[in-house]
Amino acid sequence: MSTLIPDALIASLKTSQALVVLTGAGVSAESGIPTFRDAMEGLWAKYDPAQLATPEAFERDPETVTRWYDWRREKCAVAKPNPAHLALAELQRAVEKEGRSFTLITQNVDRLHQAAGSRSVIELHGTLWVWRCIRCCQEREERQVPFAQYPPKCACGGNLRPGVIWFGESLPEEALNKTYQALEECDLFFAIGTSAVVQPAASFLHVARQHNAKTVEINVASTPVSRLVDWSILGHAGETLPELVRRAYAA
Ligand code: BV8
Ligand code: ZN
């Protein structure tokens, strides 16, 4: 299915001096990773994700919370980058080859952008591949799935927690600083596969608009920002992004 991508957007993409892309769970959906709102299949049907993704939930029930993250980690372990991830990596290469700036900011915790070849990815909400001991604070990448016990334990005996940013926790300062710097210089901003609900990520499009950037949304459904953007493209990221890159940079 060829989604309708306006020529004006292609022209803007080819002349943009500072491109900023914000991705959400919708970009990983075509890799088989449930989006945040529908990450509640089967066993998890009786939980509200926003209730599980909090420090209080971990404090109250570290076994259930770490089982949920390990269930998601197992899905991520078999997931491969999809054409959306690959197209964004190709776009970054094409834009940077012409000496223009490209910033990818993701809300996703699966690291599929990095697996697809994207570089200098800003991880707003951390990653479920890094786990941290709540006693000695030692942090390390845990690629072995599944864990042998819940909650998983550190060598010091402390409980391990996932290295993600939970609701109620502040975002990493460095990630936020880099984000706001990119938004100040941005002249073209994409929001791709995000429900535009979670703060502060949902405010970035407004910041880009305040700096007179043109804005684009790619989503399979409309969101609270669909009526604000310059171009709202209804389509799957895995189809739309490859078409966008082909039309702008067809070899
Ligand atoms: C903070 C990691 C300061 C964990 C996540 C103002 C008002 C009210 C509340 C707040 C506020 N400001 C701050 C808050 C609190 C809270 C918040 O935003 N609450 C929301 C619910 C209103 N924010 C925070 O707590 C943040 N911290 O602000 O610090 C502070 C400190 C103390 C006290 C207060 C404030 C921290 C937020 C980070 C939470 N962690 N992830 C984990 O993953 O388990 S958020 C998590 O949900 C995901 O990472 C993701 O970011 C988010 C879900 O959003 P999406 O990515 O958009 O995914 P979703 O499923 O919602 O949508 C998918 C979209 O894709 C859909 O639109 C769908 O149509 C589309 N789609 C599907 N398939 C496709 C597709 N599109 C294209 N192609 C497809 N194939
Ligand atoms: Zn420890």
Side-chain angles (χ1 to χ4, degrees):
M1 167 187 117
S2 139
T3 41
L4 190 62
I5 299 176
D7 289 339
L9 170 52
I10 300 295
S12 184
L13 183 58
K14 292 175 75 166
T15 53
S16 151
Q17 291 307 306
L19 191 49
V20 175
V21 176
L22 170 69
T23 62
V27 165
S28 294
E30 291 162 82
S31 296
I33 296 180
T35 62
F36 206 79
R37 296 291 173 281
D38 60 34
M40 308 312 293
E41 300 155 13
L43 182 62
W44 305 107
K46 60 182 184 295
Y47 293 96
D48 165 7
Q51 292 312 310
L52 277 172
T54 66
E56 294 75 21
F58 179 77
E59 180 83 23
R60 187 177 56 247
D61 186 351
E63 180 186 343
T64 301
V65 170
T66 52
R67 276 185 189 281
W68 183 54
Y69 279 93
D70 214 22
W71 172 73
R72 291 172 58 191
R73 219 168 52 112
E74 287 190 85
K75 287 191 174 289
C76 292
V78 296
K80 297 276 176 281
N82 70 61
H85 296 109
L86 296 168
L88 286 172
E90 188 184 343
L91 180 60
Q92 176 175 21
R93 286 191 293 272
V95 165
E96 290 180 346
K97 203 164 99 189
E98 294 178 357
R100 296 183 283 128
S101 112
F102 180 97
T103 304
L104 175 58
I105 305 162
T106 189
Q107 301 173 86
N108 299 339
V109 295
D110 54 38
R111 288 198 162 165
L112 285 177
H113 282 303
Q114 292 90 330
S118 290
R119 293 190 313 285
S120 313
V121 179
I122 298 176
E123 291 183 322
L124 279 183
H125 297 156
T127 176
L128 52 57
W129 289 118
V130 170
W131 287 64
R132 181 168 72 246
C133 173
I134 59 167
R135 180 188 291 175
C136 71
C137 299
Q138 196 194 36
E139 211 172 65
R140 60 169 186 261
E141 190 165 8
E142 296 281 356
R143 284 281 174 173
Q144 184 66 32
V145 289
F147 281 122
Q149 59 178 345
Y150 300 101
K153 296 285 186 193
C154 170
C156 81
N159 288 343
L160 293 180
R161 62 157 282 179
V164 298
I165 306 298
W166 278 327
F167 288 98
E169 292 186 321
S170 302
L171 273 59
E173 204 171 327
E174 191 190 352
L176 278 180
N177 292 341
K178 284 184 189 165
T179 295
Y180 287 116
Q181 190 180 345
L183 291 172
E184 267 176 40
E185 294 151 12
C186 164
D187 58 12
L188 183 57
F189 178 91
F190 282 79
I192 307 172
T194 179
S195 58
V197 165
V198 172
Q199 298 295 349
S203 66
F204 295 164
L205 182 129
H206 305 286
V207 176
R209 291 181 74 228
Q210 282 156 14
H211 289 95
N212 305 315
K214 290 275 188 214
T215 53
V216 194
E217 180 182 48
I218 298 175
N219 201 309
V220 291
S222 61
T223 72
V225 300
S226 302
R227 56 183 175 70
L228 298 174
V229 294
D230 295 281
W231 295 287
S232 169
I233 296 177
L234 274 185
H236 288 79
E239 290 162 16
T240 308
L241 284 167
E243 186 187 348
L244 202 72
V245 175
R246 190 175 45 71
R247 291 224 349 236
Y249 295 98

